[in-house]
Amino acid sequence: MRLPRFLTPRTVVSAHCDLPCGVYDPAQARIEAESVKAIQEKYQANTDPEFRTRAILIKEQRAELVKHHLWVLWTDYFKPPHFEKYPNLHQLFNEATKLAGAAGAKGSLDPAVGDQLLAKIEEISKIFWETKQA
């Protein structure tokens, strides 16, 4: 069954979400990752068990937010042409989200792991800003 010509759309549009705001920035993930690293450092400098318990809880919440912000970039902002131009982008996101997860910063109290996470986010950020200027 064919639609009458006057019912056929004249313009085809697409959007990355239901409300295309166009606001993406790896800074959201970086800020949360900086919080994770700062908490890891504060944890190491404090022996109070109650403080340490709170620090672990907050660090894990922030690490989960890092993963969320990375996933939004990975799944909503970056498109096939980006992955073609930057063939390591999928691997970079995979490594970054794992570094934010239980095997990384979420499960570690070592500030060096926070530094590794921040470095991966910086790599993603460089690619992101190159694509924004293109």
Side-chain angles (χ1 to χ4, degrees), residues 24-34 69 73 121 125 128-129:
Y24 296 101
D25 195 326
Q28 294 171 302
R30 182 189 45 77
I31 290 167
E32 297 299 349
E34 286 176 357
H69 292 303
L73 285 172
I121 292 170
S125 183
F128 172 83
W129 288 109

Side-chain angles (χ1 to χ4, degrees), residues 74 88-100 124:
W74 194 4
N88 66 326
L89 198 51
H90 280 301
Q91 183 65 30
L92 208 52
F93 271 104
N94 183 270
E95 292 168 359
T97 55
K98 288 194 181 306
L99 272 169
I124 291 168

Side-chain angles (χ1 to χ4, degrees), residues 13-24:
V13 297
S14 63
H16 65 267
C17 68
D18 294 335
L19 181 63
C21 64
V23 178
Y24 296 101

Side-chain angles (χ1 to χ4, degrees), residues 72-87:
V72 167
L73 285 172
W74 194 4
T75 60
D76 294 352
Y77 173 76
F78 286 104
K79 303 290 183 230
H82 298 133
F83 293 107
E84 290 170 17
K85 184 172 182 181
Y86 303 95

Side-chain angles (χ1 to χ4, degrees), residues 5-57:
R5 185 177 170 104
F6 71 91
L7 291 177
T8 304
R10 294 184 183 161
T11 305
V12 177
V13 297
S14 63
H16 65 267
C17 68
D18 294 335
L19 181 63
C21 64
V23 178
Y24 296 101
D25 195 326
Q28 294 171 302
R30 182 189 45 77
I31 290 167
E32 297 299 349
E34 286 176 357
S35 179
V36 167
K37 183 186 173 206
I39 292 167
Q40 290 167 327
E41 291 170 341
K42 289 177 187 249
Y43 179 93
Q44 298 301 329
N46 194 314
T47 58
D48 177 49
E50 290 179 20
F51 175 87
R52 286 182 145 205
T53 299
R54 285 181 38 241
I56 290 169
L57 176 65

Side-chain angles (χ1 to χ4, degrees), residues 2 18 27 49 52 60 68 70 91-92 103 109 126 128:
R2 290 180 48 182
D18 294 335
R52 286 182 145 205
E60 290 181 359
H68 168 77
L70 288 172
Q91 183 65 30
L92 208 52
L109 294 163
K126 285 179 185 175
F128 172 83

